[in-house]
Every structure is written in structure tokens, then in C-alpha cells.
Amino acid sequence: VAAFTNLAGALRPGGRLAMLEITRPQREPLSTFYSLWFDRLVPVLGAVAGDQDAYSYLPESVRSFPHPEALAAMIERAGFAEIRWLLLAGGIIAIHSATRSP
């Protein structure tokens, strides 16, 4: 919440926040495929490419990131209004938008 509070402080009242995030799809069969690809194959491909740490960090980071609903609640607690999100690519991508409250 602190990061969103800082963002709110950087925006003028009525200013817009927009965020693009990678998230975890919730519907089958995409969620199973995504888990196999992102959690298992991406780190292996990273090792082959010579940077296993970076490609292991990414799936861990996405796994620990809040789901879109929880992220929206955090944004609201930081003083934003008109919070919306849109899931794209079968739920792999989330775009959040909000307006800084006056």
C-alpha cells in the first residue's frame, strides 16, 4: 500500500494511474498450461540462455504478486477512486486504472 500512497502523492487530484501487470490465469486449461510454461519451462530456458536467476525470479515474483482484486483493494486503500481492471490474454495480463481522489 505504501507504494500506491507514494504514487498518489505524485499525482495531482484527478490524476490517472495506469498499470500493466502479469498475473496468473484462473481458468482451466490455460491455468495449467501457464503454470507448466511459466513456472517450469521459463527457468529452464533462462538457464540455457545463461541467466537462470533472472528467469527464475520472474515466475516467483508473479506468483507472490496480489491477484487483480487484491491489488485493486490496495490501490483503494491508498486513496484512489474509480478503480477498474481489465484481464487480457486469458487472464495472463491485467491492466488497472484509477483516479487520485481530491
Side-chain angles (χ1 to χ4, degrees):
V1 175
F4 295 116
T5 302
N6 288 337
L7 285 170
L11 292 172
R12 62 178 168 74
R16 300 284 298 162
L17 169 71
M19 297 174 28
L20 174 71
E21 298 293 336
I22 299 172
T23 189
R24 300 180 70 79
Q26 301 300 308
R27 292 188 173 179
E28 293 292 340
L30 185 57
S31 62
T32 300
F33 173 76
Y34 177 88
S35 183
L36 288 170
W37 169 258
F38 203 60
D39 294 339
R40 298 178 193 262
L41 291 176
V42 166
V44 170
L45 293 173
V48 171
D51 197 354
Q52 183 176 5
D53 290 342
Y55 288 89
S56 295
Y57 168 79
L58 184 59
E60 291 171 14
S61 174
V62 171
R63 198 172 23 256
S64 66
F65 202 76
H67 288 284
E69 297 85 2
L71 187 61
M74 293 169 70
I75 294 169
E76 183 177 33
R77 284 195 306 272
F80 286 91
E82 300 176 18
I83 301 155
R84 296 183 175 93
W85 69 91
L86 176 64
L87 296 177
L88 302 170
I92 295 172
I93 304 294
I95 300 174
H96 282 77
S97 66
T99 303
R100 182 180 168 218
S101 298

